[in-house]
Amino acid sequence: MFVVALTGGIGSGKSEAAKQFANIGIPVVDLDVIAHELTAIGAPMLSDIVRIFGQEFLAETGALNRAKLREHVFNQPNERLKLQALIHPAIHANALKLLQDHEDGLHPPYQILVVPLLFENNHYDDVINKILVIDCDETLQIQRTMARSKMTEAQVKAVMSAQVTRATRLALADEIIKNNGSVSELHENISLIHKKFIKTCIVSQ
Ligand code: ATP
């Protein structure tokens, strides 16, 4: 199994990049997607969250109020640890299972594992062969996140300052894709790096 971890700061373009890898036939496992599935309406973990954190984290629809929970744990390390202890082991187990299922069923040349906070809390060292960082200028990162998430500039900056610095991320990357241009430029760069990964995994087999 050859696994490329895809990471980057908030709003850098990880999801857009992952979509393009999927479009060209590379299996993608995204930890955020798994976290959403595990805490969807009817999922046992949603009941655990309500039991531990309280009924007020449910929206009227019965769905998890993710923004409220994110806000709650953001400045409270103890609460954050409680949440992480609850959900991270399940996310980890699901991610490994999905990677193995793809490997067994699809025999892909490599797979993409989207790990938004790879450098902040890495539990995936043992499965990752390469690290790809999606990077863009911080002003763009802020603009794009504000447009997508209806967050204020201050909120985006607060999240950014809780993440590793851009310089650290770039220093730890094996490969970097700059996402300062258009979405189609990003897609072209993904196609180019795809060819490079194919060569790399052939050599390493
Ligand atoms: P998060 O860390 O918050 O999950 P992300 O890194 O997955 O974010 P995306 O959701 O892919 O980032 O991108 C953030 C926003 O910017 C989205 O609305 C996306 O459509 C847009 N976007 C991404 N790349 C570009 C680009 N090259 N040009 C214009 N908009 C872009």
Side-chain angles (χ1 to χ4, degrees):
M1 186 184 310
F2 193 98
V3 177
V4 175
L6 190 161
T7 192
I10 183 172
S12 56
K14 296 179 294 296
S15 303
E16 195 56 55
K19 218 192 301 170
Q20 181 62 2
F21 278 109
N23 285 344
I24 53 183
I26 295 300
V28 172
V29 175
D30 186 328
L31 300 193
D32 270 354
V33 172
I34 295 175
H36 273 67
E37 286 170 359
L38 285 172
T39 54
I41 292 179
M45 197 165 285
L46 183 58
S47 315
D48 294 338
I49 289 176
V50 171
R51 183 173 40 80
I52 295 170
F53 294 94
Q55 197 73 25
E56 68 267 30
F57 292 99
L58 281 185
E60 276 178 18
T61 57
L64 180 62
N65 186 336
R66 293 174 199 282
K68 189 167 178 179
L69 186 60
R70 213 177 302 126
E71 179 97 26
H72 176 73
V73 301
F74 191 72
N75 288 313
Q76 302 191 74
N78 285 344
E79 294 294 280
R80 189 158 65 238
L81 286 177
K82 257 201 279 181
L83 182 63
Q84 286 174 347
L86 176 67
I87 65 172
H88 278 189
I91 294 174
H92 190 262
N94 274 263
L96 296 194
K97 182 177 183 320
L98 283 171
L99 289 169
Q100 194 59 53
D101 287 351
H102 291 156
E103 197 64 23
D104 297 341
L106 304 169
H107 310 294
Y110 67 96
Q111 301 190 52
I112 293 288
L113 179 63
V114 184
V115 190
L117 298 176
L118 180 68
F119 303 123
E120 288 80 357
N121 39 33
N122 183 14
H123 305 292
Y124 295 88
D125 269 346
D126 46 346
V127 286
I128 288 168
N129 301 92
K130 289 266 174 223
I131 295 172
L132 168 62
V133 167
I134 308 298
D135 175 67
C136 72
D137 288 348
E138 288 177 349
T139 45
L140 274 176
Q141 210 182 330
I142 294 167
Q143 279 168 18
R144 288 174 182 166
T145 309
M146 285 172 67
R148 187 217 39 205
S149 307
K150 304 212 167 22
M151 288 166 79
T152 65
E153 183 171 349
Q155 285 170 325
V156 182
K157 283 183 171 169
V159 173
M160 284 167 72
S161 62
Q163 299 184 340
V164 296
T165 64
R166 188 177 175 203
T168 302
R169 207 179 278 118
L170 294 178
L172 295 170
D174 294 307
E175 301 288 346
I176 297 163
I177 289 185
K178 289 261 173 249
N179 184 22
N180 285 338
S182 64
V183 170
S184 59
E185 276 173 63
L186 173 65
H187 289 182
E188 277 167 33
N189 286 327
I190 300 287
S191 302
L192 289 176
I193 207 122
H194 166 69
K195 293 193 182 113
K196 194 168 173 182
F197 285 146
I198 296 273
K199 281 194 195 137
T200 311
C201 44
I202 289 171
V203 170
S204 72
Q205 270 162 10

